[in-house]
Short mmCIF file of all heavy atoms in Angstrom, two decimals:
data_model
loop_
_atom_site.label_atom_id
_atom_site.label_comp_id
_atom_site.label_asym_id
_atom_site.label_seq_id
_atom_site.Cartn_x
_atom_site.Cartn_y
_atom_site.Cartn_z
N PRO A 254 23.20 6.89 10.58
CA PRO A 254 22.54 6.39 9.29
C PRO A 254 22.39 4.90 9.33
O PRO A 254 21.32 4.45 8.91
CB PRO A 254 23.56 6.86 8.21
CG PRO A 254 24.18 8.03 8.78
CD PRO A 254 24.32 7.83 10.26
N ARG A 255 23.36 4.13 9.83
CA ARG A 255 23.19 2.69 9.82
C ARG A 255 22.05 2.27 10.70
O ARG A 255 21.25 1.36 10.40
CB ARG A 255 24.55 2.03 10.22
CG ARG A 255 24.42 0.53 10.31
CD ARG A 255 25.74 -0.10 10.70
NE ARG A 255 25.56 -1.53 10.93
CZ ARG A 255 25.60 -2.47 9.96
NH1 ARG A 255 25.80 -2.07 8.72
NH2 ARG A 255 25.44 -3.71 10.22
N GLU A 256 21.98 2.93 11.91
CA GLU A 256 20.98 2.55 12.88
C GLU A 256 19.59 2.98 12.37
O GLU A 256 18.53 2.27 12.58
CB GLU A 256 21.25 3.23 14.22
CG GLU A 256 22.47 2.71 14.89
CD GLU A 256 22.54 1.25 15.04
OE1 GLU A 256 21.53 0.66 15.55
OE2 GLU A 256 23.56 0.53 14.62
N GLN A 257 19.52 4.09 11.63
CA GLN A 257 18.21 4.48 11.06
C GLN A 257 17.80 3.49 10.05
O GLN A 257 16.54 3.12 9.99
CB GLN A 257 18.37 5.84 10.36
CG GLN A 257 18.45 7.04 11.39
CD GLN A 257 18.47 8.41 10.65
OE1 GLN A 257 18.33 8.47 9.47
NE2 GLN A 257 18.65 9.42 11.47
N ALA A 258 18.67 3.05 9.13
CA ALA A 258 18.36 2.06 8.12
C ALA A 258 17.82 0.80 8.77
O ALA A 258 16.87 0.20 8.21
CB ALA A 258 19.57 1.84 7.15
N LEU A 259 18.51 0.34 9.79
CA LEU A 259 18.18 -0.91 10.45
C LEU A 259 16.78 -0.83 11.09
O LEU A 259 16.05 -1.84 11.13
CB LEU A 259 19.20 -1.30 11.44
CG LEU A 259 20.57 -1.79 10.87
CD1 LEU A 259 21.60 -1.99 11.96
CD2 LEU A 259 20.39 -3.13 10.10
N ALA A 260 16.39 0.32 11.60
CA ALA A 260 15.14 0.42 12.25
C ALA A 260 13.98 0.91 11.42
O ALA A 260 12.78 0.68 11.75
CB ALA A 260 15.27 1.50 13.36
N ALA A 261 14.26 1.45 10.24
CA ALA A 261 13.19 2.05 9.43
C ALA A 261 11.99 1.14 9.18
O ALA A 261 10.84 1.62 9.30
CB ALA A 261 13.85 2.55 8.09
N HIS A 262 12.20 -0.04 8.85
CA HIS A 262 11.11 -0.96 8.62
C HIS A 262 11.21 -2.28 9.43
O HIS A 262 10.64 -3.32 9.09
CB HIS A 262 11.04 -1.31 7.11
CG HIS A 262 10.90 -0.07 6.26
ND1 HIS A 262 11.90 0.31 5.33
CD2 HIS A 262 9.92 0.77 6.07
CE1 HIS A 262 11.60 1.37 4.78
NE2 HIS A 262 10.34 1.75 5.18
N GLN A 263 11.85 -2.09 10.57
CA GLN A 263 12.07 -3.24 11.47
C GLN A 263 11.50 -2.94 12.85
O GLN A 263 11.94 -3.46 13.82
CB GLN A 263 13.54 -3.59 11.62
CG GLN A 263 14.24 -3.94 10.27
CD GLN A 263 13.88 -5.32 9.81
OE1 GLN A 263 12.78 -5.48 9.18
NE2 GLN A 263 14.74 -6.34 10.06
N GLY A 264 10.47 -2.06 12.89
CA GLY A 264 9.83 -1.77 14.11
C GLY A 264 9.26 -0.35 14.12
O GLY A 264 8.29 -0.07 14.93
N THR A 265 9.87 0.57 13.42
CA THR A 265 9.39 1.93 13.40
C THR A 265 7.91 2.05 12.97
O THR A 265 7.47 1.26 12.10
CB THR A 265 10.24 2.73 12.35
OG1 THR A 265 11.63 2.78 12.90
CG2 THR A 265 9.78 4.17 12.22
N VAL A 266 7.18 2.91 13.63
CA VAL A 266 5.79 3.21 13.21
C VAL A 266 5.76 4.18 12.05
O VAL A 266 6.37 5.28 12.17
CB VAL A 266 5.01 3.71 14.43
CG1 VAL A 266 3.60 4.19 14.05
CG2 VAL A 266 4.96 2.71 15.55
N TRP A 267 5.05 3.94 11.02
CA TRP A 267 4.83 4.86 9.88
C TRP A 267 3.42 5.37 9.98
O TRP A 267 2.47 4.63 9.93
CB TRP A 267 5.21 4.18 8.57
CG TRP A 267 6.64 4.00 8.45
CD1 TRP A 267 7.43 3.04 9.00
CD2 TRP A 267 7.56 4.76 7.55
NE1 TRP A 267 8.74 3.15 8.63
CE2 TRP A 267 8.83 4.25 7.73
CE3 TRP A 267 7.35 5.85 6.70
CZ2 TRP A 267 9.94 4.75 7.08
CZ3 TRP A 267 8.43 6.33 6.07
CH2 TRP A 267 9.72 5.79 6.24
N SER A 268 3.31 6.65 9.91
CA SER A 268 1.93 7.29 10.17
C SER A 268 0.94 6.90 9.07
O SER A 268 -0.21 6.79 9.30
CB SER A 268 2.10 8.80 10.17
OG SER A 268 2.94 9.18 11.27
N TRP A 269 1.42 6.81 7.80
CA TRP A 269 0.43 6.58 6.73
C TRP A 269 -0.32 5.25 6.87
O TRP A 269 -1.37 5.10 6.36
CB TRP A 269 1.12 6.67 5.36
CG TRP A 269 2.02 5.49 5.02
CD1 TRP A 269 3.35 5.37 5.30
CD2 TRP A 269 1.72 4.34 4.22
NE1 TRP A 269 3.88 4.17 4.79
CE2 TRP A 269 2.86 3.57 4.09
CE3 TRP A 269 0.55 3.97 3.64
CZ2 TRP A 269 2.91 2.36 3.41
CZ3 TRP A 269 0.56 2.77 2.90
CH2 TRP A 269 1.71 1.99 2.87
N LEU A 270 0.29 4.29 7.59
CA LEU A 270 -0.35 2.96 7.72
C LEU A 270 -1.65 3.01 8.49
O LEU A 270 -2.43 2.09 8.46
CB LEU A 270 0.64 1.98 8.37
CG LEU A 270 1.87 1.62 7.53
CD1 LEU A 270 2.92 0.94 8.40
CD2 LEU A 270 1.47 0.72 6.34
N THR A 271 -1.89 4.10 9.24
CA THR A 271 -3.09 4.29 9.95
C THR A 271 -4.32 4.19 9.01
O THR A 271 -5.39 3.68 9.29
CB THR A 271 -3.15 5.61 10.75
OG1 THR A 271 -2.06 5.54 11.72
CG2 THR A 271 -4.51 5.82 11.41
N GLY A 272 -4.14 4.74 7.74
CA GLY A 272 -5.18 4.60 6.84
C GLY A 272 -5.63 3.16 6.48
O GLY A 272 -6.84 2.88 6.40
N SER A 273 -4.68 2.30 6.31
CA SER A 273 -4.99 0.85 6.07
C SER A 273 -5.61 0.25 7.27
O SER A 273 -6.51 -0.58 7.17
CB SER A 273 -3.72 0.09 5.68
OG SER A 273 -3.23 0.56 4.46
N TYR A 274 -5.20 0.61 8.46
CA TYR A 274 -5.79 0.12 9.73
C TYR A 274 -7.25 0.50 9.80
O TYR A 274 -8.15 -0.37 10.10
CB TYR A 274 -5.03 0.53 10.93
CG TYR A 274 -5.68 0.16 12.22
CD1 TYR A 274 -5.72 -1.16 12.60
CD2 TYR A 274 -6.28 1.11 13.04
CE1 TYR A 274 -6.28 -1.54 13.79
CE2 TYR A 274 -6.93 0.77 14.21
CZ TYR A 274 -6.92 -0.55 14.58
OH TYR A 274 -7.59 -0.97 15.78
N VAL A 275 -7.56 1.76 9.58
CA VAL A 275 -8.93 2.25 9.65
C VAL A 275 -9.83 1.56 8.61
O VAL A 275 -10.93 1.11 8.93
CB VAL A 275 -9.03 3.75 9.52
CG1 VAL A 275 -10.46 4.30 9.42
CG2 VAL A 275 -8.32 4.42 10.73
N SER A 276 -9.30 1.45 7.40
CA SER A 276 -10.08 0.78 6.34
C SER A 276 -10.33 -0.69 6.71
O SER A 276 -11.37 -1.21 6.46
CB SER A 276 -9.30 0.80 5.01
OG SER A 276 -9.24 2.14 4.54
N ALA A 277 -9.33 -1.37 7.25
CA ALA A 277 -9.50 -2.77 7.72
C ALA A 277 -10.56 -2.94 8.80
O ALA A 277 -11.43 -3.76 8.73
CB ALA A 277 -8.16 -3.34 8.16
N VAL A 278 -10.50 -2.02 9.77
CA VAL A 278 -11.51 -2.14 10.88
C VAL A 278 -12.87 -1.86 10.29
O VAL A 278 -13.83 -2.63 10.63
CB VAL A 278 -11.17 -1.04 11.96
CG1 VAL A 278 -12.32 -0.93 12.93
CG2 VAL A 278 -9.88 -1.40 12.72
N CYS A 279 -13.07 -0.79 9.48
CA CYS A 279 -14.37 -0.50 8.88
C CYS A 279 -14.90 -1.69 8.01
O CYS A 279 -16.02 -1.98 7.93
CB CYS A 279 -14.34 0.80 8.10
SG CYS A 279 -14.00 2.26 9.09
N GLY A 280 -13.94 -2.28 7.27
CA GLY A 280 -14.32 -3.38 6.36
C GLY A 280 -14.74 -4.64 6.99
O GLY A 280 -15.71 -5.25 6.61
N VAL A 281 -14.07 -5.02 8.07
CA VAL A 281 -14.32 -6.39 8.63
C VAL A 281 -15.17 -6.26 9.88
O VAL A 281 -15.81 -7.26 10.26
CB VAL A 281 -13.03 -7.17 8.93
CG1 VAL A 281 -12.24 -7.33 7.64
CG2 VAL A 281 -12.15 -6.51 10.01
N ARG A 282 -15.19 -5.15 10.59
CA ARG A 282 -15.98 -5.05 11.79
C ARG A 282 -17.24 -4.22 11.54
O ARG A 282 -18.20 -4.28 12.34
CB ARG A 282 -15.20 -4.38 12.97
CG ARG A 282 -14.11 -5.35 13.48
CD ARG A 282 -13.46 -4.74 14.69
NE ARG A 282 -12.51 -5.70 15.26
CZ ARG A 282 -11.27 -5.41 15.74
NH1 ARG A 282 -10.94 -4.15 15.79
NH2 ARG A 282 -10.46 -6.36 16.15
N GLY A 283 -17.24 -3.53 10.47
CA GLY A 283 -18.44 -2.73 10.09
C GLY A 283 -18.36 -1.30 10.79
O GLY A 283 -17.70 -1.12 11.80
N LEU A 284 -19.01 -0.38 10.13
CA LEU A 284 -19.05 0.99 10.63
C LEU A 284 -20.17 1.08 11.72
O LEU A 284 -21.27 1.61 11.41
CB LEU A 284 -19.21 1.95 9.46
CG LEU A 284 -18.94 3.41 9.80
CD1 LEU A 284 -17.49 3.60 10.31
CD2 LEU A 284 -19.14 4.28 8.53
N THR A 285 -19.80 0.80 12.89
CA THR A 285 -20.80 0.83 14.03
C THR A 285 -20.32 1.93 15.01
O THR A 285 -19.23 2.46 14.89
CB THR A 285 -20.87 -0.47 14.80
OG1 THR A 285 -19.65 -0.75 15.39
CG2 THR A 285 -21.21 -1.63 13.84
#
Side-chain angles (χ1 to χ4, degrees):
R255 178 180 174 82
E256 297 304 311
Q257 285 186 3
L259 288 171
H262 304 112
Q263 301 287 81
T265 296
V266 171
W267 287 75
S268 299
W269 74 272
L270 292 167
T271 296
S273 293
Y274 174 70
V275 171
S276 293
V278 171
C279 292
V281 303
R282 290 188 178 140
L284 192 57
T285 65

